[in-house]
Amino acid sequence: MGERKRAEYDVEISASVTADELVFHEAPEVVSRSRGEPNQEGTVGSDRSGLPRPVRTGVVYEDVRADYRLASRIRPPGEPSEDDDADGE
């Protein structure tokens, strides 16, 4: 999840959860984003097993695991952004 080396981020949050059984009584609405000023850049990502996309309500899912990571940093003034590097600027 993510291209940067761990040491290059200013802030990193990660979480993991496991369950023998899991039932959703309501369909989840999940949104992840990182924001910062000035010149913030970051990545978010998740890996999961035992759960389809999207999940269905009332279904018993077994042997579930979900891993989530959010990482962000403030880019120093004058340092090119990852988008600038990709464009060859």
Side-chain angles (χ1 to χ4, degrees):
M1 291 181 273
E3 300 282 328
R4 283 187 184 279
K5 296 175 187 171
R6 173 172 275 184
E8 294 184 37
Y9 290 107
D10 296 319
V11 175
E12 184 173 333
I13 300 169
S14 60
S16 296
V17 64
T18 60
D20 294 331
E21 291 185 346
L22 180 63
V23 177
F24 290 88
H25 298 287
E26 295 180 17
E29 294 181 30
V30 179
V31 176
S32 296
R33 63 182 152 245
S34 63
R35 290 188 267 195
E37 291 291 333
N39 302 322
Q40 178 272 343
E41 57 186 33
T43 185
V44 296
S46 64
D47 292 316
R48 61 192 202 177
S49 61
L51 293 171
R53 291 184 194 262
V55 296
R56 296 186 325 196
T57 58
V59 175
V60 177
Y61 298 103
E62 297 179 344
D63 298 322
V64 172
R65 179 180 178 101
D67 299 305
Y68 177 81
R69 178 175 173 243
L70 178 143
S72 183
R73 77 178 192 117
I74 302 297
R75 190 174 63 251
E79 180 181 294
S81 72
E82 292 177 348
D83 293 335
D84 292 343
D85 291 341
D87 294 337
E89 295 178 8

